[in-house]
Amino acid sequence: MLVFSCVYSCIESPKFMCHLNNCNTSKSTIMISMFPRAVSIVCMLSKLTVMYNDLSATIKYENNIKMYEMYHPRLDADKANFRIFVIVMASLCTIIVLPVNVLRIYLLYGQFRDGSMVLFFSIMYIQTASVCITELQFIAHCFGLYQKYRSINDDMAVLKSRTIVTNRYPAVLNPGKYNSIGDSSGFNDDFCQEIKECQLVNSIESLKMRHRFVSDSASDLNDTYNLQWGLSLFILLVMMLFDIYEVMITEFNMIEMNWILYVWLLQYSFRFCMIVLIIHVTTKQALKSKILITDISNRYLDKNTKEEIQLFLNQMCSSAIEFTACDFFTLNNHLITSAIAAATTYLVILLQFN
């Protein structure tokens, strides 16, 4: 059905799009029919890619999540926050995307009374909804990683504060024995002679293992969805561009209310920013771990703790956390401003051709 709907949309798009808008030249026909063709092709490629990656990268992702939860099971509060986040995002997408598309189909049927045209646009909107559902799946996974990184960073922050306090007042906390946490002068055994040293080393080792599993999960998630979100961001930008372009050069005779156009632009902008921002905050939370462990390392610690922290730092440096669209560009908040600049440039070029 996916392949059939894609082929059907590509073949029939000039017919129905030109029926809505007068196509005076072959150039205008290509430009107007590009919109549904792009939607159908992106839908097919993204769904097939995710289905293929479910056989490899998704399994690795789920295994890494299970290994993480062996070290640190999810709290009930995190589960509740995750459910609330997913419900809110799904509700927003439904409220923004569904009504305007249903209304447009209703207006099309009321004006043309053509079942084939209603079928064509229904298929296009179903394809759009399919891509939107895949985006929500990725956003849910990404928010789960954000929660895990935040949990690691919260534990690191507690560890950092305790280390600062211990090294600030060493004589009070350990009178007559240590100058700092883990200072084992006066004892023969070099490894974990004091219980606080053992706890610190074990805590850092546990954080290191948790961070490794989450980082591997982020890499697997990037491998699973990188093509899909790259295509999604591309098609959302193209749809915004062509909607604005179409309004400037044609008249929407079948839609009397111009506010529907703004709702369309709102749904494209919402989906675009939703993907970029969730990736940005997750990446920032992952980078925060390096800052915290570096602050802990700057304290005067024992040799074993220093070695464990150095291993942790090497691990984070060797596995940099970033989300890319097939390595073409990195996804962060700067992509929003870059997209606005690119869309404005190409819109001016299209208007000059027109």
Side-chain angles (χ1 to χ4, degrees):
M1 292 179 63
L2 188 67
V3 175
F4 170 77
S5 63
C6 177
V7 174
Y8 175 77
S9 297
C10 290
I11 294 175
E12 298 293 332
S13 58
K15 170 185 174 182
F16 293 109
M17 296 303 292
C18 288
H19 190 53
L20 294 177
N21 305 280
N22 295 325
C23 299
N24 300 322
T25 62
S26 60
K27 182 178 67 176
S28 60
T29 302
I30 295 174
M31 295 292 295
I32 293 175
S33 61
M34 187 181 297
F35 179 89
R37 286 175 174 174
V39 172
S40 60
I41 292 173
V42 166
C43 176
M44 186 179 68
L45 290 178
S46 63
K47 298 298 290 185
L48 291 178
T49 302
V50 172
M51 290 169 59
Y52 173 77
N53 288 329
D54 279 344
L55 303 177
S56 55
T58 304
I59 297 176
K60 293 170 59 181
Y61 168 82
E62 293 175 352
N63 290 336
N64 286 319
I65 294 298
K66 291 179 181 178
M67 293 298 295
Y68 171 88
E69 294 181 352
M70 288 178 58
Y71 283 87
H72 187 78
R74 293 178 65 187
L75 301 176
D76 293 336
D78 289 338
K79 294 180 181 179
N81 291 334
F82 180 81
R83 287 193 295 267
I84 292 172
F85 175 81
V86 173
I87 291 172
V88 169
M89 298 306 296
S91 301
L92 288 175
C93 283
T94 302
I95 293 172
I96 295 175
V97 175
L98 185 61
V100 66
N101 292 332
V102 173
L103 178 60
R104 190 183 188 194
I105 292 176
Y106 172 77
L107 293 175
L108 286 170
Y109 180 76
Q111 180 174 355
F112 295 100
R113 299 290 178 176
D114 188 350
S116 59
M117 178 175 290
V118 172
L119 175 63
F120 173 80
F121 280 94
S122 298
I123 290 176
M124 185 174 68
Y125 294 147
I126 290 173
Q127 292 169 344
T128 302
S130 177
V131 175
C132 190
I133 290 173
T134 307
E135 294 168 0
L136 285 173
Q137 291 175 345
F138 162 72
I139 290 170
H141 288 309
C142 201
F143 182 75
L145 294 179
Y146 166 79
Q147 285 185 314
K148 292 175 175 58
Y149 278 124
R150 188 182 62 184
S151 176
I152 293 172
N153 292 337
D154 290 342
D155 292 343
M156 281 189 185
V158 173
L159 194 63
K160 172 186 172 182
S161 62
R162 291 178 180 175
T163 306
I164 291 174
V165 171
T166 303
N167 285 275
R168 183 177 297 175
Y169 308 108
V172 177
L173 296 177
N174 300 295
K177 287 187 178 181
Y178 303 101
N179 292 326
S180 66
I181 183 170
D183 184 2
S184 55
S185 58
F187 289 83
N188 295 324
D189 189 7
D190 293 332
F191 181 72
C192 288
Q193 296 179 17
E194 208 270 330
I195 188 63
K196 291 183 179 179
E197 177 185 346
C198 292
Q199 292 176 348
L200 184 58
V201 172
N202 292 336
S203 297
I204 294 175
E205 183 179 7
S206 177
L207 290 170
K208 182 182 70 174
M209 297 300 295
R210 288 165 58 188
H211 194 278
R212 191 193 75 184
F213 289 129
V214 180
S215 299
D216 291 343
S217 300
S219 178
D220 295 333
L221 190 66
N222 184 63
D223 293 339
T224 303
Y225 288 94
N226 59 359
L227 178 61
Q228 192 276 331
W229 69 54
L231 291 173
S232 294
L233 295 177
F234 169 75
I235 193 60
L236 288 172
L237 184 61
V238 169
M239 286 192 290
M240 284 189 287
L241 178 64
F242 277 95
D243 272 353
I244 297 173
Y245 171 75
E246 190 174 3
V247 169
M248 290 183 174
I249 66 172
T250 60
E251 295 182 359
F252 275 13
N253 296 325
M254 77 293 185
I255 297 179
E256 299 177 355
M257 297 173 292
N258 290 330
W259 62 268
I260 295 182
L261 170 67
Y262 299 107
V263 178
W264 284 338
L265 295 177
L266 174 64
Q267 64 166 300
Y268 302 149
S269 303
F270 172 74
R271 290 167 57 191
F272 189 95
C273 295
M274 185 173 60
I275 297 173
V276 174
L277 292 180
I278 189 63
I279 290 176
H280 176 71
V281 297
T282 303
T283 305
K284 294 289 288 184
Q285 199 67 223
L287 295 176
K288 186 179 178 181
S289 301
K290 186 181 296 186
I291 299 174
L292 289 172
I293 198 64
T294 303
D295 291 341
I296 297 174
S297 179
N298 289 334
R299 299 293 161 180
Y300 182 73
L301 303 173
D302 62 280
K303 179 181 178 181
N304 297 317
T305 306
K306 283 283 190 180
E307 290 179 354
E308 195 65 36
I309 290 176
Q310 188 60 44
L311 292 174
F312 198 173
L313 285 171
N314 292 338
Q315 173 184 298
M316 286 190 285
C317 292
S318 62
S319 58
I321 305 301
E322 64 177 12
F323 293 88
T324 64
C326 298
D327 294 330
F328 286 110
F329 54 88
T330 303
L331 276 68
N332 50 41
N333 59 344
H334 299 295
L335 186 63
I336 298 177
T337 55
S338 299
I340 294 174
T344 304
T345 302
Y346 287 113
L347 182 61
V348 171
I349 294 173
L350 289 174
L351 292 176
Q352 287 176 341
F353 276 113
N354 186 65

